[in-house]
């Protein structure tokens, strides 16, 4: 595996839910608004990091899962 998961289960579920909500908003408002494009991209990234369990930005600041605690 090329990465180590750095998101706990509750945060993964939250990211997936928020990502799907952002994608739904973007799908409803796609051709009319530039904001819909930005929200859609952000929703896709949230859903993807939630599904994979790894966030590159969290890894850059040194966030890890403490499984021993």
């Amino acid at each position: 595996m090329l990465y180590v998961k750095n998101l706990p289960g509750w945060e993964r579920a939250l990211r997936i839910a928020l990502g799907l909500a952002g994608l739904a908003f973007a799908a409803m408002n796609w051709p009319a608004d530039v904001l819909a494009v930005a929200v859609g991209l952000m929703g896709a990234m949230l859903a993807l990091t939630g599904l994979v369990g790894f966030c590159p930005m969290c890894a850059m600041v040194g966030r890890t899962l403490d499984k021993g605690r």
Side-chain angles (χ1 to χ4, degrees):
M1 185 183 307
L2 298 174
Y3 63 91
V4 176
K5 292 184 179 181
N6 61 359
L7 296 176
W10 67 268
E11 188 173 348
R12 291 180 68 189
L14 185 64
R15 283 177 183 248
I16 292 170
L18 290 175
L20 291 177
L23 287 171
F25 174 81
M28 289 187 294
N29 299 312
W30 187 260
D33 197 4
V34 176
L35 177 66
V37 176
V39 172
L41 289 173
M42 202 176 327
M45 286 305 298
L46 277 173
L48 182 66
T49 58
L51 287 171
V52 174
F54 176 75
C55 177
M57 289 185 221
C58 293
M60 284 193 297
V61 296
R63 182 176 180 193
T64 60
L65 279 178
D66 292 332
K67 295 210 175 198
R69 293 184 183 185

